[in-house]
Amino acid sequence: MKIYNTLTRRKEDFVPINPGVVNMYACGITVSGDAHIGHAYQALIYDIIRKYLEKQGFKVNYARNYTDVDDKIIAKSNETGIPALEYAEMMIERIDRLMRKFEVDDPTIWLKATCNIENIIDFVSKLIEHGNAYATERGDVYFSVESFKGYGKLSGRRLEDAYESVRIENEENKKTPLDFALWKSAKPGEVYWESPWGKGRPGWHIECSAMNRAAFGEQIDIHGGGRDLIFPHHENEIAQTEALTGKPFAKYWIHNGLIKVNGQKMSKSLGNSILLADLLDKYSPETVKYALLQTNYRGDINITDNLFPDADKHMYDFYKVLDEVDKSGLVAEGGNPEIDAEFNRAMDDDFNTAKALADLFGHFKRIKQKLKAADASCVSDARQIRETYGLLGLFRHAPAEFIAYYEAKTNEKNGEEDDIPQEVKDLAEKRFAAKKAKDWGTADSLRLLISEKGYTIKDSKDGYTIEKA
């Protein structure tokens, strides 16, 4: 099995620190708002990695965290009037329910910043003793970046380059601009804990290091998170942890790609965030998973208008074949080990879910051929697909259940299309003809005219659909 290690910038053979056991940590959600598709994707990826390692015989101790105290949570507390810790607990319960609806399993160990305050204070105190951190008169504690010689090794940034690229906060008591907060003094009215430096709360970066140390000791095998966390968050985790222990923090650093919406990075500032709750109101969890896993985890996912509808249709087609097998009356024992072996080959190459899903088309094509020939081995193939691809969260339900879900959606959509004025349908047909003739000017004019009448056109590889704006 090979894993791409961000630290070394290459694929490496996976060999855990202790034979047969994997200690794995993935940065979780800061609970200042509802879970979006990026949160769901990251949770899905590391759940799959955990399960595949277990499939290969490893005992996996998998920890995820909730950041349940930070500036954003305090801002939400002030906005809503709900005490910060109460607000965070409310959001954790809400997000947990949603992730279970998304059918992502809990980690082995749940960690929360507020349950590790003593561990965090102990960690910070030892960094001060080692000369890697310093307290200010105001009660803040900062990590001295220049005290750690390996700073920048994960992101590949030289110290002087990091000075230019990092966002410098206006904190007068820092010795150098890159130094980052380990402990923040409490402002009036903020949640706080007592510490040797006064009333305050943890900085963001120290939480993960302290929680890892409490859960696993000085070293872990895998540390995961989104690519946007490489710098400064994970870089700072390495600096503060290795400054304390003198040992490599994580053997393998794994980072999933980012979510884009129609080519733009998803962000609140752009107003293009996709909330997980809204997505699951429209699509099955299996549809969402299939859509996301078509891209290998290190690549960015571009969510277009057609991504989820196309995934819905593929899953429907797959389930229709499984339904035919169930109704065929054919009987066979066992599964097809070659399907499982092919899946393993894809996953052994840096958890390549994109390759594993691409293989499904060949598997289902052969099953349809076998059905036509009344070859009972199609039953073994179908059984193996359900077992093997269940690791990705697919084919876990009865075919009739997914088929009913999809056909109900299709009938509802057809009903909506029947309400579309004939004038709009005619304009859409003219636009489609203009596009086929590559008359882009006319096509754009007709799209605008359709929009003015209160409808939108969504193009797909099979044609187009008309929707109410």
Side-chain angles (χ1 to χ4, degrees):
M1 183 192 309
K2 290 188 178 293
I3 296 178
Y4 184 86
N5 190 348
T6 307
L7 187 64
T8 60
R9 295 163 185 78
R10 65 174 184 267
K11 289 182 184 178
E12 299 177 354
D13 290 331
F14 180 67
V15 181
I17 297 167
N18 297 308
V21 179
V22 178
N23 290 332
M24 170 178 162
Y25 177 88
C27 288
I29 302 173
T30 298
V31 293
S32 56
D34 287 309
H36 55 62
I37 185 61
H39 296 138
Y41 177 55
Q42 198 242 41
L44 173 64
I45 287 300
Y46 294 106
D47 184 44
I48 286 171
I49 289 174
R50 179 261 295 268
K51 287 172 179 170
Y52 188 69
L53 291 169
E54 289 175 339
K55 182 182 182 184
Q56 296 310 304
F58 294 104
K59 181 183 186 306
V60 182
N61 303 309
Y62 169 40
R64 282 178 66 81
N65 78 300
Y66 275 125
T67 294
D68 56 347
V69 59
D70 84 329
D71 293 341
K72 293 178 180 177
I73 292 169
I74 290 170
K76 281 289 186 181
S77 170
N78 294 335
E79 179 185 319
T80 61
I82 303 171
L85 299 186
E86 187 179 326
Y87 177 86
E89 195 60 38
M90 176 187 74
M91 293 305 299
I92 287 172
E93 290 178 6
R94 197 148 95 187
I95 292 167
D96 278 348
R97 286 196 300 271
L98 195 56
M99 287 298 178
R100 291 187 182 107
K101 184 179 178 182
F102 187 47
E103 298 174 359
V104 169
D105 292 340
D106 286 345
T108 319
I109 306 167
W110 268 121
L111 298 168
K112 292 194 296 186
T114 58
C115 295
N116 282 269
I117 298 299
E118 289 185 12
N119 295 324
I120 291 167
I121 290 173
D122 178 67
F123 202 115
V124 174
S125 297
K126 285 183 168 60
L127 285 174
I128 293 175
E129 291 172 14
H130 288 203
N132 296 105
Y134 56 92
T136 69
E137 292 181 2
R138 194 172 62 187
D140 298 304
V141 181
Y142 293 100
F143 183 87
S144 172
V145 167
E146 291 183 348
S147 75
F148 181 69
K149 302 304 180 187
Y151 195 82
K153 62 183 177 181
L154 183 68
S155 61
R157 300 177 189 228
R158 298 178 305 166
L159 200 58
E160 53 268 33
D161 294 334
Y163 273 109
E164 294 176 5
S165 60
V166 74
R167 180 175 66 87
I168 306 300
E169 295 179 352
N170 184 24
E171 294 169 329
E172 297 175 359
N173 294 324
K174 290 202 295 187
K175 291 181 179 178
T176 64
L178 264 184
D179 294 351
F180 56 88
L182 301 172
W183 187 261
K184 293 186 171 186
S185 58
K187 297 183 179 70
E190 286 187 348
V191 61
Y192 67 84
W193 288 264
E194 296 289 351
S195 81
W197 318 287
K199 296 176 180 179
R201 57 188 170 87
W204 176 37
H205 309 300
I206 194 65
E207 295 174 6
C208 292
S209 290
M211 288 188 288
N212 265 290
R213 180 167 170 257
F216 298 125
E218 294 183 336
Q219 294 179 288
I220 59 174
D221 296 288
I222 295 174
H223 195 309
R227 195 175 66 238
D228 55 331
L229 298 182
I230 293 174
F231 186 86
H233 183 51
H234 288 167
E235 197 73 76
N236 291 350
E237 278 192 62
I238 288 175
Q240 63 203 10
T241 303
E242 296 186 6
L244 181 66
T245 67
K247 300 175 182 178
F249 177 22
K251 189 172 182 181
Y252 303 93
W253 286 84
I254 299 179
H255 292 94
N256 59 277
L258 306 180
I259 301 288
K260 295 182 177 179
V261 179
N262 293 317
Q264 285 187 307
K265 181 182 175 181
M266 190 179 73
S267 69
K268 287 183 181 178
S269 61
L270 293 174
N272 63 354
S273 293
I274 300 173
L275 295 181
L276 180 58
D278 293 341
L279 198 57
L280 293 180
D281 282 343
K282 296 179 181 178
Y283 299 103
S284 158
E286 292 198 14
T287 293
V288 177
K289 290 175 184 178
Y290 181 89
L292 297 176
L293 296 174
Q294 290 177 97
T295 301
N296 198 39
Y297 78 92
R298 284 193 291 124
D300 291 343
I301 295 175
N302 187 30
I303 297 180
T304 62
D305 292 341
N306 300 320
L307 179 66
F308 295 114
D310 287 351
D312 228 8
K313 181 62 165 60
H314 286 314
M315 287 301 301
Y316 172 71
D317 291 341
F318 292 150
Y319 265 118
K320 286 284 283 184
V321 175
L322 294 178
D323 191 48
E324 288 179 39
V325 172
D326 288 348
K327 293 175 178 176
S328 67
L330 298 170
V331 178
E333 298 296 324
N336 181 342
E338 181 50 40
I339 290 175
D340 195 60
E342 190 168 5
F343 177 86
N344 289 348
R345 284 192 290 272
M347 294 294 285
D348 281 344
D349 183 15
D350 196 29
F351 311 109
N352 194 344
T353 60
K355 174 65 168 61
L357 291 188
D359 291 339
L360 277 174
F361 291 92
H363 297 327
F364 276 99
K365 181 179 179 181
R366 285 186 287 275
I367 289 174
K368 287 193 282 188
Q369 291 170 342
K370 290 178 179 182
L371 271 169
K372 192 172 182 180
D375 180 345
S377 67
C378 68
V379 177
S380 298
D381 292 354
R383 184 180 295 119
Q384 191 66 61
I385 285 172
R386 284 169 163 149
E387 179 183 330
T388 295
Y389 284 83
L391 189 145
L392 302 183
L394 305 179
F395 308 117
R396 290 182 171 184
H397 300 284
E401 185 180 328
F402 192 94
I403 290 167
Y405 142 81
Y406 183 84
E407 290 182 348
K409 281 182 64 175
T410 303
N411 292 336
E412 182 181 340
K413 190 173 181 180
N414 289 338
E416 290 174 357
E417 288 178 357
D418 288 342
D419 294 334
I420 296 170
Q422 187 61 45
E423 178 189 10
V424 173
K425 292 179 181 179
D426 291 342
L427 290 171
E429 274 299 304
K430 288 178 182 177
R431 177 182 172 275
F432 185 60
K435 282 191 67 182
K436 288 178 69 174
K438 298 185 178 181
D439 183 356
W440 310 119
T442 299
D444 288 342
S445 297
L446 289 167
R447 176 190 278 275
L448 182 60
L449 189 55
I450 292 167
S451 177
E452 289 172 353
K453 294 183 180 295
Y455 293 86
T456 60
I457 295 288
K458 292 190 175 180
D459 294 313
S460 68
K461 62 182 180 180
D462 300 319
Y464 64 89
T465 56
I466 310 171
E467 296 182 5
K468 190 80 175 173

